[in-house]
Structure formats: structure tokens, C-alpha cells
Amino acid sequence: LMNNLVFMHGLNEEPYTTDKIIAECSNNQSKVVKNLIRNHKNDLEEFGILHFENAKLPGRGRPQKTYHLNEQQATLLITYLDNTPQVNQFKKNLVREFYRMKKELTQRQINRAIGKPQRKSLTDAIKEWPQAPKHIYINMTQLLLKRATGLTAQQIKKSRNVKTALDGLTIKEQERYSQLENIAIGLVGLNKTWNEVKGVLLLA
């Protein structure tokens, strides 16, 4: 379970965990954790808005509320649980995972900031490209995203909850995207046709 303790949506929202994760990993019933959240709602809200989502479970009538807790809220909530060895271990895992996610988030933000001027050079290259077909910018971005992540822009936005697909890329995917973008800029600069550019990028 280690990797899925903390989640991240987009570059501008803070990482969070859920009441479900806390219940599972601390060996408590879901309703016990939900009750704790409701009883200590005011305390938790001192550390930010208490976000939640409603999702219908297959075969269940009423939608199930899932709370999203930021690091401080999650840490506080765990202090209300009994201190079993399992709870203590989970506390340590969660702290580590929040730290790792924050580092990843910072690095992604840096990479995006560095990548912005580079995007301009692809735009410029396309502007000066005599062979450029219609809607090439969108099609080029789609192809680069698909090659870097295996997903379309729409799929990235939906599954990673971001408004701009490029904001949803992991550090590894950002590096790959950047590499492919450089290849595209080079080929466009050589005035290759779109089919030739596509052919190379599909093999890259």
C-alpha cells in the first residue's frame, strides 16, 4: 500500500490522503474514522478546508463521502486514534510519503516553469514551418503527450484532475516530453513534412 497513501491533483493543489486510507492502514473501521472527522471537524478546519468527494459505490444506494485530508489534517486525525503499533507505523509511513510527494510536486513545478520557454520555441518553430498543416499545434501536442505518457490529453486531465494536461505529468514523463519536443523542434526546423515528423516521433 505504501505508494498509494498520498495523492496529488495538479500542480497548484496540496497533496492529500483519504479517510479510507487512514481507516485501512490504521486497522480501524471506516465509520470510526468518519465519525472522528465529523466530531473534530472544527479542529481539522483550522488547518484548511475539509475537502470531500461523493462517489456512488456499485450496488449501493447512497453515494459514499470520501474525505480528502491535507498533511496537517491527517496528522491531527491520527492523534485521535489509539496508539497501536500499527497506527504508529502508519504515522511514520504517512509522514514519509507526504514528504516525498511534496518534493515531487516542487520538482514538477520547477520542470514546468523551465519547460514554458521551451514550449515557446516549439510554437515559434511551427509558426515558421512552411509545411505546417492545419491544427498542427494541437495535433503535435497530442502526439507528444501520447508518446510521453501513453495517454491522450483528455485522459490525463480526467484521470489526474488537471485543467492543463501538461500540469499532470510526472517528473519522468516531463523529461520524456521535453526530449520528444526537442526532436520535434529539430525536425520542424529542417522543414520535414508532418508525416515525416510523426514517423520519427512514433519511433523515438
Side-chain angles (χ1 to χ4, degrees):
L1 258 171
M2 243 334 259
N3 275 342
N4 297 334
L5 295 182
V6 177
F7 308 93
M8 190 156 65
H9 281 170
L11 294 183
N12 303 319
E13 293 177 41
E14 54 184 340
Y16 68 90
T17 190
T18 67
D19 58 291
K20 192 169 175 259
I21 299 277
I22 292 174
E24 273 173 29
C25 297
S26 65
N27 208 8
N28 276 283
Q29 283 183 317
S30 181
K31 61 173 186 225
V32 170
V33 175
K34 278 188 174 25
N35 282 338
L36 274 177
I37 291 174
R38 283 192 283 268
N39 294 342
H40 297 281
K41 194 166 177 283
N42 292 345
D43 294 348
L44 293 168
E45 283 176 340
E46 283 179 33
F47 297 98
I49 296 166
L50 192 54
H51 293 285
F52 62 86
E53 60 180 325
N54 279 320
K56 276 196 88 138
L57 295 176
R60 297 264 177 89
R62 288 178 51 200
Q64 192 75 339
K65 191 181 263 191
T66 301
Y67 289 98
H68 292 185
L69 300 126
N70 65 27
E71 185 176 15
Q72 290 167 308
Q73 289 167 336
T75 309
L76 179 64
L77 185 65
I78 293 171
T79 62
Y80 299 136
L81 296 169
D82 292 336
N83 258 340
T84 63
Q86 193 166 357
V87 168
N88 288 336
Q89 185 54 51
F90 168 55
K91 218 182 286 186
K92 286 188 285 193
N93 292 348
L94 196 65
V95 167
R96 269 192 215 105
E97 196 55 15
F98 264 113
Y99 178 73
R100 193 185 68 77
M101 270 299 197
K102 282 199 292 206
K103 237 169 88 173
E104 157 107 1
L105 185 61
T106 306
Q107 192 54 54
R108 283 194 199 183
Q109 286 167 335
I110 291 166
N111 290 354
R112 273 293 271 145
I114 295 166
K116 285 227 192 304
Q118 193 176 344
R119 285 199 61 68
K120 191 165 174 293
S121 59
L122 179 60
T123 319
D124 292 344
I126 286 172
K127 269 186 204 143
E128 292 151 19
W129 184 18
Q131 305 250 31
K134 268 198 171 120
H135 309 303
I136 180 59
Y137 192 75
I138 293 167
N139 293 335
M140 178 78 85
T141 307
Q142 278 285 17
L143 179 62
L144 294 173
L145 284 168
K146 188 90 173 113
R147 295 295 294 140
T149 66
L151 302 167
T152 64
Q154 276 313 104
Q155 288 169 325
I156 294 169
K157 287 185 208 171
K158 200 167 183 272
S159 65
R160 300 178 184 182
N161 220 351
V162 288
K163 287 191 180 73
T164 308
L166 281 164
D167 284 347
L169 271 51
T170 64
I171 296 169
K172 251 205 168 95
E173 289 166 347
Q174 283 176 333
E175 284 165 7
R176 176 91 176 108
Y177 187 93
S178 196
Q179 202 182 7
L180 292 161
E181 193 173 38
N182 282 333
I183 296 169
I185 292 168
L187 294 168
V188 167
L190 294 170
N191 196 21
K192 297 283 187 197
T193 66
W194 171 225
N195 279 337
E196 289 174 313
V197 175
K198 230 177 357 189
V200 175
L201 289 173
L202 288 170
L203 293 170

